[in-house]
Amino acid sequence: MTNPVTLPDPVTLPDPMTLWHPVATMLDLPHRHIFHGQLLGREVAIWRADDEFINVWENRCLHRGVRLSIGTNDGTELTCRYHGWRYSNRSAGCTYIPAHPADAPARTICNRTFAAVEQYGLVWSGEDPIGEPPTVASLDDGTPFTLRNLPVNAPSQIVLDQLRQHRFQPVASLDTDDAEMTATEINDYALSLTSTGTNTAESSTVVFFVQPVDSDRSVIRAVLTEAPAEVAQLAVLRHHAAALGKLVIAAEAAAAQMPLPEPMQATINQVSLALSVMPEPMLDRQAPLRVQVARKWTTARDIAGFELVSVGDPLPTFQPGAHIDVHLPNGLVRQYSLTNGPGDTSRYRIGVKLEANSTGGSQCLHDTVREGDVLAISEPRNNFPLRRDSLRTVLIAGGIGVTPMLAMAQALKPMGLAFELHYFAQADEHLAFEEIRAGLGDAVITHVGLSPDETGAELARLLDGYGHANQVYICGPGPMLEAARTIATAADWPDQAVHFEYFKNTTEIDDSSSFEIALARSAVNLQVPAGKSILEVLRDHGIAMPSSCEQGACGTCVVPVMEGEIEHQDVHLKQSERDAGDKIMTCVSRAVSDRLVLDI
Amino acid sequence: MRTALTTTVATTCTDPIILNQWHPLLPLDEMATDHPGTAVLLGERLSYQLDANGAPAVWLTADVDATPLPVLVEYLYVWTCLGSPPDELFAIPEFSEPDRRNVHGGTIGVHVSAPRAIENFLDMGHFPYVHTDVLGVEPHTEVAEYDVHIDPETNDVWATDCIFYQPRASTTSTEGQMSDYLYRVPHPYCVILYKTTPLFEDRMDVIALFCRPVDDDQIQAHMFLSLLDPDNSDTVIRKFQQGIFGQDKPILENQYPKLLPLDPRAETPIRADKIAIAYRRWLSDLGVTYGVIPVSPTSVSMTS
């Protein structure tokens, strides 16, 4: 049965690029599947994340063009089969490039996304759709039931033409062949057909949406407006599959009489100029170690624990109080204290607090980094050394500041040195690393839910009565740290006995001055202009400088000063060290005098 | 299925660089004296047969006079040319070493352009993902910095100092090893790999991929091996190579576009792709247009 075919004049059709089209049924998107779809000549990878968000992406990895639909959907990210690049749910931003754990470029690699809306059991998308997907009153008011979709090797308008003559039976009388058909046009890619039984007067309505896959291919997506009773569903599905099967044969026969249309050409966007050039290796900050995330777990509310095992040589030893730089897949570098006890170099353990206003560091570790990933880290550095010759050691931790304290406490305990670890937290669920604390027994005292005033009073009580060879170590949020330092000074603790580590430097750094630095050992004079740090100037001249936080908190970039007056802008040095004027944090501090002579 | 037909229509090659190359037709020992065979090269159907003296002859199937095309027998294969070929093929001196096993590892058809297949052969980053537990394994995913240069005399592209951890690098491996690789591209559609062997410290296995371009987006890929492996049978060696290539084939056939884009802004390189970038530039500099999407003048102005 071939019908004479007249193609509508394509000029009269609205631009299909601006319309919403169905690209999949919800049944095509089972848990953690990736559906390979196509619309208007463009291939798309369609996948549903565990948060139910439906992603419609260009079906192509930006790296080497491999179809993402042959990759894996792990519920939050899509991984390319070829090189393991991972792309995030929703944003389609690339989050991990396994070939370069150390110098992952700090640049945004983002796949192309298309709009996606679920309606009537179908996923709707489009190249550049305007407004909303079409609404159909009979589906809005009914209980839509998706029929099996049918691919057709025919242009969508030939399929529509065939559908106008399509026949099926109402659900109540599938076995007869005498129903009255009425058609209602919805738009250029959709129509509604109602079948009314002559005897029973019962009717069924099916809405047909035709997806233009390419110039010569379509998919018929049909939705019955009223879901049949469950026992009848199989028979209904069979009835429509058989009827539409005949329609497909007729449409393909009609299409075969037409000249083959030119295939649609989907344009693939060029990558940005910045992405098209090979990135330079990041040599400034050293990250010689490669570790794999062996375990990631929630150790307290908003705090993730990470166990890192070496991928190559055994991990180097470390001292209590030490931290590592973690180079993140998004190009950021963050410092985390080791919580390990002495001698435990089989793995490094760190705790990462999810910062409410994270600039991408803690968020990346919480959301993106997962078990099995490879990270580049620095060797452990200790800018917070623990004295092990004291009669009494007071460890004061606020929140995530507990991490270096846990390492210190585990070092002191087997030595039999008297210590107490005071752990301040907002609530019980914020207390982290219970398994380590359990091993420290009564030496750990938690202080939960105190107001700032109550915290101050508690600190005053703890620091009352300085004695010979007493040491206090403090790590926590800035205000608590300031309060503890003030209280310790008031309680006659000498500056040398008060040790602290800031999370970050909140000082506003003034880099407007310009001055000269003389490098005494290498007999070189360099100019530090406004807007550049001493550290940057040294590196610009090929001097390898260690650094870590680069904000004046960690103390890694310290350099001895022989002459000149220093403008200290760090939070690492103690007041007595500042007063001595013989060292400088080169990442933030500058000169008051015209010239500094550095002992390097 | 009219759409399927359109993909099999041959694209006739007009690229003089490619027309004037030697192309590997098939292994010599697959040619017979008693009957001709046919194969497609650059969209042209060719017939071939051994003559009474055992010498190979190749001609255009459509040519009623059966005018012989240029023929060369080298490295186990019969090479031919549709244009004016160079006097010699690139040199692989290891082929003549007496203790080498020279093995044809098999021919596999792949629906992709030859340059895409060559670029995949030059790539270490996919080992842990595509050749899991053989040529790579997680977490050993890092591609260390390596060097790339173009030999000023031969104009071959080289990658040197390539190092990668491999759980089972070859048929002679008994344990994981850090493999040293050298890559060499002496021909737009041929690539050679020199690789550490567990048996010798100062000699390397040679593994090459010689692609016959059936069309601009279809190849027959011949795997040639010159190995220092006295123990394993040809069958074991072939199975190993075919197993590896069988893992690459579905990846290659899912690359889009099938032609290699030479515009730097078509895809996103990372440092591991240094050799691939060099290969793409080299193809551009040679002026190759077949099997690739050449850089368009507009995109040149955007990148310069």
Side-chain angles (χ1 to χ4, degrees):
Chain A
M1 60 179 230
T2 49
N3 296 294
V5 173
T6 47
L7 265 185
D9 180 358
V11 180
T12 62
L13 290 174
D15 181 0
M17 301 290 174
T18 64
L19 298 179
W20 288 89
H21 299 278
V23 290
T25 71
M26 286 307 288
L27 299 172
D28 292 326
L29 306 181
H31 184 61
R32 300 198 175 181
H33 177 64
I34 308 169
F35 180 73
H36 176 169
Q38 186 169 330
L39 181 66
L40 298 166
R42 183 187 301 284
E43 284 190 22
V44 285
I46 309 173
W47 63 285
R48 185 163 56 92
D50 285 359
D51 67 359
E52 301 301 328
F53 189 87
I54 296 168
N55 296 279
V56 179
W57 293 358
E58 181 105 66
N59 190 18
R60 193 169 173 271
C61 178
L62 292 167
H63 179 216
R64 282 292 171 265
V66 166
R67 286 190 176 95
L68 291 173
S69 54
I70 65 166
T72 48
N73 163 7
D74 67 14
T76 59
E77 291 181 314
L78 200 154
T79 304
C80 178
R81 183 70 82 200
Y82 199 7
H83 295 97
W85 286 29
R86 289 212 307 256
Y87 294 91
S88 175
N89 178 31
R90 294 171 186 265
S91 71
C94 177
T95 62
Y96 186 54
I97 297 177
H100 294 301
D103 63 354
R107 50 187 194 165
T108 306
I109 298 173
C110 204
N111 197 5
R112 184 164 177 191
T113 62
F114 297 93
V117 168
E118 181 193 348
Q119 184 159 282
Y120 312 137
L122 303 175
V123 178
W124 297 77
S125 186
E127 281 281 313
D128 199 7
I130 296 169
E132 306 290 329
T135 53
V136 181
S138 57
L139 290 174
D140 287 333
D141 302 338
T143 53
F145 179 72
T146 313
L147 300 177
R148 194 180 72 135
N149 59 62
L150 269 108
V152 197
N153 286 308
S156 55
Q157 294 313 311
I158 288 183
V159 175
L160 260 298
D161 216 53
Q162 293 291 329
L163 280 169
R164 291 185 186 101
Q165 311 159 45
H166 183 56
R167 292 185 53 79
F168 59 87
Q169 286 295 115
V171 170
S173 54
L174 293 175
D175 297 336
T176 57
D177 187 25
D178 53 357
E180 295 271 331
M181 299 299 298
T182 46
T184 312
E185 300 282 331
I186 295 172
N187 63 29
D188 290 309
Y189 294 90
L191 63 87
S192 166
L193 292 180
T194 299
S195 164
T196 307
T198 42
N199 298 326
T200 61
E202 283 206 47
S203 70
S204 289
T205 299
V206 176
V207 183
F208 294 90
F209 301 103
V210 179
Q211 170 188 350
V213 170
D214 206 328
S215 58
D216 62 344
R217 282 186 292 151
S218 310
V219 176
I220 302 169
R221 300 193 177 276
V223 186
L224 192 58
T225 58
E226 302 293 337
E230 207 165 320
V231 289
Q233 285 178 0
L234 188 58
V236 171
L237 286 168
R238 280 185 178 147
H239 173 76
H240 284 279
L244 283 170
K246 288 177 193 160
L247 181 142
V248 167
I249 292 166
E252 291 184 348
Q257 295 176 16
M258 310 284 299
L260 191 67
E262 280 295 305
M264 293 178 173
Q265 292 293 337
T267 49
I268 291 178
N269 289 349
Q270 287 191 309
V271 300
S272 70
L273 197 53
L275 291 185
S276 70
V277 293
M278 196 167 63
E280 288 303 311
M282 290 169 73
L283 298 173
D284 276 2
R285 288 196 259 191
Q286 297 298 310
L289 307 182
R290 300 289 175 273
V291 290
Q292 186 178 29
V293 179
R295 182 176 166 229
K296 175 184 177 181
W297 76 104
T298 302
T299 174
R301 178 190 283 188
D302 291 339
I303 299 178
F306 290 84
E307 277 186 10
L308 309 172
V309 298
S310 177
V311 168
D313 296 333
L315 293 171
T317 189
F318 59 91
Q319 297 170 340
H323 74 268
I324 51 171
D325 293 349
V326 179
H327 291 239
L328 297 172
N330 61 10
L332 295 175
V333 181
R334 290 289 181 268
Q335 293 73 43
Y336 296 100
S337 297
L338 300 180
T339 65
N340 293 44
D344 179 12
T345 53
S346 66
R347 54 198 57 215
Y348 291 155
R349 288 182 195 83
I350 59 172
V352 179
K353 166 89 185 293
L354 179 63
E355 299 297 337
N357 45 5
S358 168
T359 51
S362 63
Q363 183 140 30
C364 177
L365 275 157
H366 271 256
D367 295 350
T368 302
V369 174
R370 58 186 61 189
E371 289 178 4
D373 285 0
V374 177
L375 297 172
I377 63 170
S378 69
E379 288 176 335
R381 269 190 286 263
N382 195 7
N383 303 318
F384 194 29
L386 172 70
R387 289 187 66 137
R388 279 172 271 190
D389 60 351
S390 52
L391 295 176
R392 174 188 176 225
T393 303
V394 182
L395 305 173
I396 297 175
I400 192 62
V402 75
T403 50
M405 300 302 177
L406 291 170
M408 291 181 176
Q410 291 173 96
L412 293 169
K413 186 174 158 66
M415 294 178 75
L417 293 170
F419 74 97
E420 59 220 64
L421 167 50
H422 295 277
Y423 185 4
F424 291 77
Q426 287 174 18
D428 282 339
E429 65 261 32
H430 291 281
L431 295 168
F433 293 107
E434 204 206 332
E435 68 284 3
I436 301 178
R437 286 185 283 123
L440 296 167
D442 296 341
V444 182
I445 301 112
T446 56
H447 307 269
V448 172
L450 302 187
S451 69
D453 286 347
E454 290 167 334
T455 302
E458 191 63 22
L459 288 172
R461 194 182 64 75
L462 296 175
L463 295 173
D464 187 28
Y466 168 72
H468 171 67
N470 282 12
Q471 304 289 338
V472 60
Y473 296 81
I474 315 160
C475 184
M480 178 190 164
L481 225 153
E482 297 292 344
R485 287 174 68 186
T486 309
I487 290 164
T489 306
D492 293 331
W493 286 70
D495 200 46
Q496 294 80 358
V498 182
H499 314 270
F500 48 87
E501 184 170 67
Y502 280 82
F503 295 158
K504 58 185 169 195
N505 184 2
T506 51
T507 316
E508 193 145 325
I509 307 300
D510 178 1
D511 63 358
S512 60
S513 62
S514 63
F515 52 93
E516 186 183 66
I517 50 173
L519 313 187
R521 293 194 215 181
S522 35
V524 171
N525 290 344
L526 300 172
Q527 195 64 33
V528 180
K532 277 216 161 193
S533 68
I534 299 175
L535 181 68
E536 287 169 327
V537 170
L538 290 172
R539 282 186 176 153
D540 287 351
H541 288 81
I543 297 160
M545 286 287 298
S547 75
S548 179
C549 75
E550 299 194 358
Q551 51 161 286
C554 75
T556 304
C557 62
V558 66
V559 163
V561 176
M562 300 167 78
E563 261 180 63
E565 195 182 338
I566 306 165
E567 181 193 9
H568 291 288
Q569 301 197 76
D570 64 280
V571 290
H572 180 78
L573 294 176
K574 301 175 186 185
Q575 192 56 48
S576 57
E577 293 170 316
R578 286 184 166 214
D579 294 344
D582 59 0
K583 47 188 154 184
I584 184 168
M585 294 303 145
T586 54
C587 62
V588 291
S589 296
R590 306 180 75 81
V592 177
S593 51
D594 293 339
R595 186 162 182 266
L596 286 180
V597 182
L598 305 180
D599 189 12
I600 51 174
Chain B
M1 293 295 289
R2 298 191 303 164
T3 45
L5 285 174
T6 60
T7 60
T8 59
V9 172
T11 312
T12 308
C13 176
T14 56
D15 176 350
I17 307 294
I18 296 303
L19 282 173
N20 293 331
Q21 298 284 342
W22 288 112
H23 293 284
L25 198 60
L26 78 164
L28 178 64
D29 66 8
E30 290 180 14
M31 270 200 190
T33 46
D34 52 352
H35 65 274
T38 66
V40 179
L41 170 68
L42 298 170
E44 303 282 356
R45 185 160 293 277
L46 306 182
S47 297
Y48 55 81
Q49 190 166 5
L50 292 178
D51 67 18
N53 302 320
V58 181
W59 64 95
L60 285 165
T61 308
D63 178 5
V64 287
D65 300 330
T67 315
L69 290 170
V71 164
L72 188 72
V73 176
E74 195 69 272
Y75 316 131
L76 311 180
Y77 300 89
V78 176
W79 302 69
T80 189
C81 177
L82 299 182
S84 310
D87 293 341
E88 291 182 341
L89 193 59
F90 49 85
I92 306 179
E94 290 82 358
F95 180 74
S96 312
E97 292 174 4
D99 60 345
R100 289 268 173 181
R101 294 279 297 283
N102 292 316
V103 181
H104 166 56
T107 301
I108 298 187
V110 190
H111 192 179
V112 77
S113 64
R116 283 280 197 199
I118 299 295
E119 199 173 273
N120 176 67
F121 196 88
L122 294 170
D123 179 74
M124 288 181 280
H126 73 289
F127 290 165
Y129 297 93
V130 179
H131 308 297
T132 313
D133 293 336
V134 185
L135 301 185
V137 66
E138 290 182 87
H140 306 280
T141 57
E142 182 166 11
V143 177
E145 198 72 18
Y146 59 87
D147 294 320
V148 169
H149 73 275
I150 292 179
D151 186 309
E153 284 185 17
T154 59
N155 199 35
D156 294 353
V157 187
W158 283 88
T160 56
D161 291 331
C162 310
I163 298 173
F164 207 83
Y165 176 84
Q166 302 203 311
R168 199 164 87 84
S170 73
T171 47
T172 55
S173 304
T174 51
E175 56 184 10
Q177 64 178 50
M178 291 303 294
S179 292
D180 294 310
Y181 272 49
L182 295 170
Y183 288 107
R184 171 184 168 207
V185 187
H187 176 294
Y189 297 167
C190 296
V191 59
I192 304 166
L193 158 68
Y194 302 86
K195 181 176 181 175
T196 317
T197 161
L199 305 181
F200 291 90
E201 278 198 7
D202 54 346
R203 300 172 71 193
M204 298 180 107
D205 280 337
V206 177
I207 302 169
L209 192 71
F210 302 147
C211 296
R212 161 155 59 91
V214 172
D215 199 345
D216 65 347
D217 65 357
Q218 286 190 80
I219 57 166
Q220 290 285 322
H222 307 297
M223 291 179 282
F224 167 73
L225 304 109
S226 185
L227 303 181
L228 296 158
D229 179 351
D231 300 324
N232 287 293
S233 69
D234 284 4
T235 306
V236 169
I237 291 167
R238 286 190 181 123
K239 272 189 177 165
F240 184 83
Q241 289 305 320
Q242 293 179 13
I244 300 285
F245 204 85
Q247 293 170 324
D248 286 314
K249 180 176 155 83
I251 299 288
L252 288 168
E253 294 185 336
N254 276 291
Q255 272 184 295
Y256 183 84
K258 290 185 177 297
L259 306 184
L260 184 72
L262 299 184
D263 182 346
R265 293 187 58 180
E267 292 175 350
T268 310
I270 57 172
R271 299 200 59 73
D273 302 323
K274 217 168 166 178
I275 179 70
I277 301 305
Y279 173 60
R280 290 185 187 197
R281 280 198 196 131
W282 181 79
L283 289 174
S284 269
D285 292 346
L286 287 179
V288 171
T289 57
Y290 192 80
V292 300
I293 303 171
V295 185
S296 70
T298 50
S299 52
V300 169
S301 67
M302 290 170 89
T303 52
S304 58

